Amino acid sequence: MRPEALNFLACPSCGHTLSLSRQGNCDDAGHIVSGELACVACRGNFPIRDGLPILLPGSTETVKTETASRFAEEWLRWSDLRDYYKEEFFAWIAPLEPSDFAGKLVFEGGCGKGRHTAIAASCGARAVVAIDLGDSAFVAYRHTRDLPNVHVAIGDLLRPPVKPVFDLAFSVGVLHHLPDPAAGFLSLASRVRPGGQVSFWVYGQEGNEWITRYVNPLRVNFTSKLPAGFLRVLCWPPSLLLWGVIKLFYRPRANRKGPAFLPYGDYFASMYSYPFDEIHANVFDQLVTPVAYYLRGDEVRAWVASGFDDAAVRSHRGYSWSGLARVK
Ligand SMILES: [Zn+2]
């Protein structure tokens, strides 16, 4: 972490300011690699390890959820950033555009390996503060350590260790993996200043009935309990099948939409040019996590029904929900 991060970080226990109580060595990019932060109010101590502040109440890693740890296994393995991530990101968070990040203070709830963190930073954000509960935050740090406007921390979105000062907060593909997605959304929005915006993308129940009916029981009772390496091998046959089906039947039409008469038309068409390992990673993601909520449209709309202006929730490609709202 860089010292400037203290302008945005806060104690996860009481929300007050943190100060640097012990500084170990620094690296050539100006990051404090080891040391300790202390809360000026409750005197809680939080370590800095391998360049990352670990801002969890109690400062232990035992509070991490199994879900975050399971995803970290994936991201530590597939840790490269790819060109098509930017197009995918702005499809998820539309109508936000790159220009909406310019000059803004941005908070990302659940950054994984930092693919969206790096994109937000490249769009000219004044600062991007990204947290994740899993060790994937170390991968995000590795990807963004040379970007002067990025600050990564290990933290829990349900107790976000940041000040309520942000112009824009976003969370893509994360809220549905929390034990309480609605609480996660409110927590994300709580760190946005009045007049700022909050954006999210979550799995939908509508359009995914076969997953909730057939895949979920398999995931909860079997695949989420398997060793990650074994599950990775197990995912090869269905991934190959899916990849073949996409290549055969889902060539995008001229307007970049997929075949309307087939399921997941737009979604699978968007994956048409993806390499096989990306398809495999998507299948693995579906099967690895112990917690995944598929949310109804009315549930998600209720999140932004009060306390927000200009709230809009839209179906994204018929299988997920994207939301954008302005904090009152
Ligand atoms: Zn405190």
Side-chain angles (χ1 to χ4, degrees):
M1 66 167 281
R2 292 191 178 86
E4 306 91 273
L6 292 174
N7 295 328
F8 313 112
L9 298 177
C11 172
S13 302
C14 73
H16 278 84
T17 299
L18 297 168
S19 68
L20 189 63
S21 54
R22 183 174 62 77
Q23 181 172 333
N25 53 320
C26 287
D27 69 7
D28 53 2
H31 290 279
I32 302 164
V33 177
S34 64
E36 195 168 75
L37 300 173
C39 174
V40 299
C42 74
R43 301 288 169 191
N45 288 308
F46 306 96
I48 303 169
R49 181 163 67 80
D50 296 331
L52 279 189
I54 300 174
L55 299 175
L56 301 171
S59 297
T60 70
E61 295 183 46
T62 54
V63 299
K64 284 183 188 173
T65 67
E66 202 182 343
T67 298
S69 302
R70 294 285 278 178
F71 274 126
E73 289 177 43
E74 170 76 347
W75 285 320
L76 287 167
R77 186 177 168 83
W78 301 110
S79 62
D80 55 324
L81 298 180
R82 297 177 173 181
D83 294 342
Y84 49 82
Y85 287 167
K86 185 169 184 177
E87 186 180 349
E88 198 176 52
F89 176 56
F90 283 103
W92 278 322
I93 65 166
L96 287 180
E97 297 178 347
S99 59
D100 291 307
F101 287 80
K104 299 279 175 63
L105 273 184
V106 179
F107 172 46
E108 178 180 13
C111 62
K113 64 183 182 182
R115 55 194 265 183
H116 301 142
T117 322
I119 294 166
S122 74
C123 294
R126 183 148 67 93
V128 183
V129 180
I131 64 164
D132 203 285
L133 193 52
D135 285 345
S136 56
F138 288 102
V139 182
Y141 170 69
R142 199 169 72 211
H143 282 137
T144 58
R145 63 188 287 277
D146 292 326
L147 302 175
N149 54 345
V150 171
H151 308 284
V152 181
I154 288 188
D156 184 351
L157 184 49
L158 291 170
R159 305 188 73 166
V162 295
K163 296 176 179 174
V165 295
F166 292 88
D167 302 309
L168 171 63
F170 72 89
S171 182
V172 170
V174 173
L175 298 173
H176 49 234
H177 291 304
L178 298 179
D180 184 345
F185 169 73
L186 289 175
S187 189
L188 181 76
S190 74
R191 295 318 193 249
V192 175
R193 65 166 174 79
Q197 288 176 296
V198 57
S199 165
F200 62 90
W201 173 79
V202 293
Y203 292 162
Q205 187 178 107
E206 298 85 342
N208 285 319
E209 287 82 2
W210 71 278
I211 290 185
T212 52
R213 187 170 303 168
Y214 301 113
V215 181
N216 271 3
L218 186 71
R219 173 178 59 74
V220 171
N221 298 310
F222 179 56
T223 57
S224 68
K225 296 175 177 165
L226 294 173
F230 181 60
L231 179 59
R232 203 164 279 121
V233 173
L234 209 63
C235 285
W236 266 78
S239 304
L240 268 173
L241 180 67
L242 178 60
W243 185 71
V245 166
I246 288 174
K247 288 291 182 193
L248 276 174
F249 301 111
Y250 287 85
R251 177 187 286 273
R253 300 195 302 262
N255 60 1
R256 303 182 66 81
K257 286 195 169 280
F261 56 94
L262 289 172
Y264 295 102
D266 294 347
Y267 178 39
F268 284 172
S270 74
M271 297 166 81
Y272 182 82
S273 57
Y274 286 4
F276 173 74
D277 65 358
E278 193 74 39
I279 306 287
H280 181 275
N282 273 275
V283 173
F284 182 85
D285 273 2
Q286 288 293 329
L287 297 176
V288 72
T289 174
V291 178
Y293 289 99
Y294 290 78
L295 299 154
R296 294 191 316 274
D298 61 304
E299 286 179 278
V300 176
R301 286 189 193 92
W303 295 357
V304 293
S306 63
F308 299 93
D309 289 322
D310 307 329
V313 173
R314 66 177 174 84
S315 171
H316 178 64
R317 294 184 174 139
Y319 73 100
S320 60
W321 300 107
S322 292
L324 178 65
R326 192 174 293 284
V327 175
K328 276 187 179 170

